[in-house]
């Protein structure tokens, strides 16, 4: 081109290295290669000048210096040895020959060794070495057991450093060998092969999330999720199936997953046996071609440690002449519930105490004043085998702590009675323990205590112990004190642990949230009724406590006469005849505590209402294709086909003919709060759920999470709105709710057609 010629002229240099040799230095943009022709231009080679001649800057000879340039300093006097130069002639063509030792290229490939079903292939040779400063020439070829015309055409047409082949030109299950011949402009060349294997599997490998070995405790729900994402270039209708391959589910090698999503395996608490290992397989299948992949995993069901407790709370105070009663029968095994033989029901109640095959071991040591001093032998010697035997109930006289009456009435003694329970399992013994601190009082005190909280067992209609209370309900605690024949008592209720809104210091006064008397409760001495128990209830108003908080309520008794170890600890309360003496906490004559955990509502679930046959995964608020105009304006509608196509949940239907499904799914709660019960209702109205509107019940307090084939009436308002509600209630009665709106337009069928539908 003119540009290249100009560049050659501007940057190419020629100079003599001898009288017969010319060296040419080419410009970097030169296009000359071996085989190119160079013409030595006419009259450019001249004979040398004589010694007396002058030569200008272009090499021309002149006898006169002025002719050579006009100025002496622009000319150079020729030397005597410049002779023998050939005479100028016509253009002389010179051919550029190949170098004697051409530079050999080194081929460097970059690319994959294997391809997935939908992967395109790119082989990059741009990192190859030895081009001599000019571009390489590339020639690609391919060899394989099976090649398509599209592959051959693509390879033949490729003349660059990068070879790109689309996935549809590569047959699955074959290896392809690509050959590149690389040549530089000096004529040096190299050849190299590159192999690529395209995998033959259309389905991806199936992944079981969490690995192939899972561990679960029997009271917990088993939830396993598996997924195989189809190749992007293929449309697949995938189905998943879990199979129990080994492990007995109470006499049946089968199971029922509670999930409607077949990618999940969900089994409720207590469904599997503790100590067993279950083996499952999960198969993903292309439902159109029946191609499938399989994965396996195991589930180990671990034994739960026992939960040990002693009735009466952590701290109790007993008179020296009184009786110590240690009752651990409320201890239980979380693995206790058993599935009935017919597998139709699951018993959610725990197995308590000895019924749980628990073994009890008792220990006694002094806490104050001599911490750690063992008193187990003192009690054991007096009781024989009763204390050391495997009993859940131990009763003995408090004086047995010091059988030799070796005690000081001016000292407060405190002991710790600890019970350790063990459960024998196939994998060994599992332990748990509980303690009760006993303060030995030398004051004239009667027995004081607090009854445990109870709940109604919905299966047996019996009252069973519980530790939880619903914060939205009144909390009723029953304390008691044994009447004295000599001493009058003042009782007070306090909260020694747990903050209460609106109460400055609940350890001193809880009257702000108590519906019954909580302080200065006077109990007079009754000689005729001495030894009988007097009930001292405490009622905490509803919504006073915070959900999920552990509270410890305390009932304390004080005597009202002037008796104390230290007069400085006494303070008078009131005036005149109403005055009585209150003692510091350390000198209260007796106290009892109870721990109450406020319940939390069921969580983590959702509520959907859809036309039958549509997806449960999402709620579609868009407009379907069957839109109509009603008397109150535009009425959106849709059908099952719309929803299936879009993978959505359709919430637009027609009165009397559209069948709906209501589904409350995924709700969970603490194991002891199960089973959950579900109530489904609905209201007609343009606005959200209202307490003032008429409520129509579909299902009340049932364990069924889903209702199908529900035919709803015409909705209300401009959009024919119906608001459905699911109320989820645990076994203690704590409830939460969710709502879902649907839009049911009038039915345009004739009366006869409606009768046929009915």
């Amino acid at each position: 081109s003119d540009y290249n010629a100009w560049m050659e002229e501007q940057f190419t240099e020629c100079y003599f290295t001898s009288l017969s040799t010319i060296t040419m230095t080419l410009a970097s943009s030169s296009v000359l290669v071996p085989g190119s022709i160079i013409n030595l231009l006419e009259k450019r080679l001249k004979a040398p000048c004589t010694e007396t001649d002058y030569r200008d800057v272009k090499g021309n000879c002149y006898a006169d210096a002025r002719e050579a340039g006009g100025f002496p300093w622009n000319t150079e006097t020729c030397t005597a040895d410049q002779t023998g130069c050939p005479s100028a002639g016509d253009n002389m063509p010179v051919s550029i020959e190949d170098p004697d030792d051409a530079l050999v290229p080194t081929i460097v490939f970059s690319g994959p060794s294997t391809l997935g079903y939908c992967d395109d292939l790119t082989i990059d040779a741009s990192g190859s070495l030895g081009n001599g400063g000019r571009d390489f020439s590339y020639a690609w070829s391919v060899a394989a057991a099976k090649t398509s015309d599209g592959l051959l055409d693509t390879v033949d047409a490729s003349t660059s450093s990068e070879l790109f082949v689309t996935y549809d030109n590569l047959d699955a299950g074959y290896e392809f060998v690509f050959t590149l011949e690389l040549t530089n402009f000096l004529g040096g060349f190299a050849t190299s092969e590159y192999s690529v294997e395209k995998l033959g599997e259309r389905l991806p490998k199936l992944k079981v999330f969490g690995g192939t070995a899972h561990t679960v405790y029997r009271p917990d729900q088993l939830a396993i999720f598996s997924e195989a994402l189809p190749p992007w270039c293929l449309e697949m209708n995938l189905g998943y199936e879990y199979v129990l391959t080994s492990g007995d589910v109470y006499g049946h090698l089968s199971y029922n997953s509670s999930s409607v999503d077949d990618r999940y395996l969900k089994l409720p608490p207590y469904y599997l046996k503790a100590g067993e290992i279950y083996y499952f397989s999960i198969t993903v299948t292309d439902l159109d071609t029946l191609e499938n992949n399989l994965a396996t995993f195991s589930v180990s069901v671990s034994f739960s440690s026992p939960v040990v407790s002693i009735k009466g709370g952590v701290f109790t105070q007993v008179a020296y002449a009184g009786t110590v009663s240690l009752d651990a029968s409320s201890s239980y095994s979380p693995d206790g519930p058993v599935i009935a033989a017919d597998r139709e029901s699951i018993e959610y109640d725990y197995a308590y105490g000895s019924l749980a095959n628990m073994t009890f071991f008792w220990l006694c040591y002094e806490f104050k004043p001599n911490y750690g001093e063992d008193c187990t032998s003192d009690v054991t010697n007096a009781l024989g085998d009763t204390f050391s035997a495997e009993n859940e109930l131990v009763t003995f006289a408090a004086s047995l702590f010091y059988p030799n009456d070796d005690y000081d009435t001016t000292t407060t003694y405190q002991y710790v009675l600890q019970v350790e329970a063990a459960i024998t399992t196939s994998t060994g013994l599992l332990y748990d323990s509980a303690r009760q601190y006993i303060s030995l009082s030398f004051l004239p005190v009667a027995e004081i205590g607090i009854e445990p909280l109870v709940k109604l067992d919905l299966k047996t209609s019996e009252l069973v112990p519980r530790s939880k209370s619903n914060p939205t309900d009144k909390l009723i605690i029953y304390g008691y004190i044994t009447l004295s024949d000599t001493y009058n008592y003042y009782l007070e209720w306090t909260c020694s642990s747990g903050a209460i809104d609106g109460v400055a210091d609940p350890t001193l006064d809880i009257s702000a949230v108590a519906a019954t008397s909580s302080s200065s409760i006077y109990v007079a001495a009754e000689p005729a009724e001495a030894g009988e128990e007097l009930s001292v209830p405490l009622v905490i108003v509803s919504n006073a406590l915070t959900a999920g908080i552990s509270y410890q309520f305390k009932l304390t008794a004080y005597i009202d006469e002037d008796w104390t170890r230290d007069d400085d600890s006494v303070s008078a309360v009131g005036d005149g005849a109403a005055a009585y003496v209150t003692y510091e906490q350390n000198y209260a004559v007796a106290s009892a505590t109870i721990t109450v955990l406020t319940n939390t509502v069921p969580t983590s679930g959702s509520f959907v209402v859809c036309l039958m046959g549509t997806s449960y995964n999402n709620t579609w608020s868009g407009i379907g294709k069957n839109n109509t105009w009603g008397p109150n304006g535009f009425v959106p509608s849709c059908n099952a086909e719309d929803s299936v196509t879009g993978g959505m949940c359709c919430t637009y239907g027609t009165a009397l003919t559209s069948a709906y499904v209501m589904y409350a799914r995924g709700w969970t709660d603490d194991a002891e709060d199960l089973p959950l019960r579900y109530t489904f209702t609905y209201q007609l109205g343009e606005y959200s759920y209202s307490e003032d509107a008429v409520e129509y019940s579909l299902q009340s307090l049932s364990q069924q999470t889903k209702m199908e084939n529900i035919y709803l009436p015409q909705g209300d308002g401009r959009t024919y709105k119906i608001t459905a509600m699911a109320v989820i209630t645990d076994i203690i009665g704590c409830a939460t709710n969710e709502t879902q709106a649907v839009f049911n337009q009038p039915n345009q069928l004739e009366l006869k057609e409606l009768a046929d539908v009915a």
Side-chain angles (χ1 to χ4, degrees), residues 357-370:
N357 297 320
M358 299 173 68
T359 302
F360 296 87
F361 306 93
W362 294 91
L363 174 69
C364 173
Y365 63 89
E366 188 173 323
F367 186 75
K368 194 168 67 170
N370 301 315

Side-chain angles (χ1 to χ4, degrees), residues 27-100:
S28 60
S29 59
S30 176
V31 296
L32 297 178
V33 296
S36 297
I37 301 298
I38 298 178
N39 288 310
L40 299 181
L41 298 180
E42 181 181 3
K43 297 181 180 180
R44 292 300 175 93
L45 291 180
K46 301 181 182 298
C49 299
T50 66
E51 185 175 356
T52 59
D53 288 340
Y54 294 92
R55 184 174 57 199
D56 64 10
V57 294
K58 294 185 179 181
N60 298 313
C61 294
Y62 298 93
D64 187 272
R66 296 190 181 190
E67 294 180 1
F71 301 97
W73 52 82
N74 288 334
T75 62
E76 180 182 351
T77 302
C78 297
T79 59
D81 59 353
Q82 294 178 331
T83 60
C85 184
S87 60
D90 296 334
N91 289 347
M92 299 175 59
V94 178
S95 175
I96 300 178
E97 298 180 351
D98 292 332
D100 295 333

Side-chain angles (χ1 to χ4, degrees), residues 128-459:
S128 300
L129 307 174
N131 60 5
R134 305 282 182 87
D135 291 337
F136 282 120
S137 295
Y138 300 87
W140 295 89
S141 60
V142 63
K146 184 177 182 181
T147 56
S148 65
D149 292 339
L151 172 61
L152 296 176
D153 293 341
T154 299
V155 173
D156 290 343
S158 181
T159 59
S160 68
S161 62
E162 182 178 277
L163 174 64
F164 176 77
V165 183
T166 57
Y167 73 91
D168 51 347
N169 282 323
L170 298 168
D171 291 293
Y174 291 93
E175 182 180 21
F176 299 86
V177 179
F178 294 89
T179 302
L180 172 62
E181 183 175 300
L182 190 63
T183 306
N184 60 29
F185 82 102
L186 298 173
F189 69 93
T191 302
S192 183
E193 294 181 347
Y194 188 85
S195 297
V196 177
E197 180 184 4
K198 179 165 182 178
L199 303 178
E201 294 183 1
R202 296 173 72 252
L203 288 177
K205 290 184 179 180
L206 181 60
K207 179 179 180 181
V208 180
F209 285 75
T212 58
H214 298 255
T215 301
V216 67
Y217 287 96
R218 188 163 183 257
D220 298 333
Q221 180 192 52
L222 173 65
I224 305 292
F225 178 71
S226 302
E227 189 173 33
L229 296 176
W232 66 267
C233 62
L234 298 175
E235 293 185 2
M236 288 187 179
N237 181 18
L238 298 181
Y240 298 80
E241 181 182 16
Y242 287 91
V243 175
L244 175 63
T245 58
S246 176
D248 182 18
V249 184
Y250 294 93
H252 300 266
L253 194 67
S254 62
Y255 67 94
N256 293 311
S257 176
S258 59
S259 175
V260 297
D261 187 338
D262 59 1
R263 296 175 299 172
Y264 284 90
L265 170 63
K266 287 188 177 181
L267 299 180
Y270 309 110
Y271 203 91
L272 305 176
K273 288 182 178 180
E276 292 281 337
I277 299 179
Y278 296 84
Y279 294 91
F280 292 85
S281 66
I282 168 68
T283 303
V284 58
T285 303
D286 183 346
L287 301 180
D288 297 324
T289 65
L290 301 184
E291 292 180 277
N292 62 76
N293 272 344
L294 179 140
T296 60
F297 61 92
S298 64
V299 176
S300 299
V301 185
S302 299
F303 287 99
S304 304
S305 297
V307 178
V308 179
S309 63
I310 303 175
K311 290 184 178 179
V314 179
F315 295 93
T316 188
Q317 194 160 11
V318 180
Y320 178 76
T323 301
V324 175
S325 180
L326 303 172
D327 186 357
S329 61
S330 59
S331 304
Y332 64 91
S333 167
D335 294 335
V338 178
I339 297 180
D342 58 6
R343 302 181 74 250
E344 293 297 328
S345 61
I346 299 178
E347 296 296 334
Y348 280 95
D349 198 11
Y350 295 125
Y352 290 94
S354 58
L355 297 179
N357 297 320
M358 299 173 68
T359 302
F360 296 87
F361 306 93
W362 294 91
L363 174 69
C364 173
Y365 63 89
E366 188 173 323
F367 186 75
K368 194 168 67 170
N370 301 315
Y371 177 79
E373 189 171 295
D374 188 12
C375 55
T376 305
S377 58
D378 294 336
V379 180
T380 302
N381 292 338
L383 296 180
D385 293 335
T386 304
F387 190 65
S388 59
E390 301 165 358
N391 294 319
E392 62 185 39
L393 179 63
V394 176
T395 303
F396 58 92
S399 59
L400 290 180
F401 283 119
Y402 281 95
N404 299 323
D405 293 335
D406 183 15
Y407 57 87
D408 181 359
T409 58
T410 64
T411 301
T412 299
Y413 288 89
Q414 194 171 64
Y415 301 88
V416 176
L417 293 178
Q418 177 172 304
V419 61
E420 185 175 75
I423 296 179
T424 302
T425 70
S426 59
T427 58
L429 293 176
L430 296 176
Y431 295 92
D432 188 32
S433 63
R435 296 177 178 179
Q436 189 173 57
Y437 293 82
I438 307 291
S439 291
L440 193 61
S441 173
F442 298 98
L443 298 176
V445 63
E447 291 187 16
I448 189 172
I450 301 174
E451 298 288 349
L453 297 179
V454 295
K455 65 180 179 181
L456 179 65
D457 190 314
L458 299 179
K459 297 183 176 65

Side-chain angles (χ1 to χ4, degrees), residues 551-633:
Y551 294 90
Q552 188 177 78
F553 292 93
K554 185 176 185 179
L555 176 62
T556 306
Y558 302 89
I559 58 174
D560 72 333
E561 65 180 35
D562 189 12
W563 189 96
T564 180
R565 299 190 185 93
D566 186 352
D567 289 339
D568 292 340
S569 66
V570 179
S571 59
V573 178
D575 299 317
Y580 63 93
V581 176
T582 299
Y583 298 92
E584 290 185 359
Q585 189 75 1
N586 288 339
Y587 300 112
V589 297
S591 64
T593 61
I594 186 172
T595 300
V596 177
L597 176 64
T598 48
N599 195 14
T600 55
V601 299
T603 60
S604 303
S606 61
F607 175 53
V608 294
V609 183
C610 304
L611 285 180
M612 290 289 291
T614 63
S615 169
Y616 298 148
N617 294 329
N618 299 285
T619 299
W620 184 31
S621 59
I623 307 300
K625 65 185 179 184
N626 299 321
N627 301 314
T628 60
W629 285 90
N632 295 321

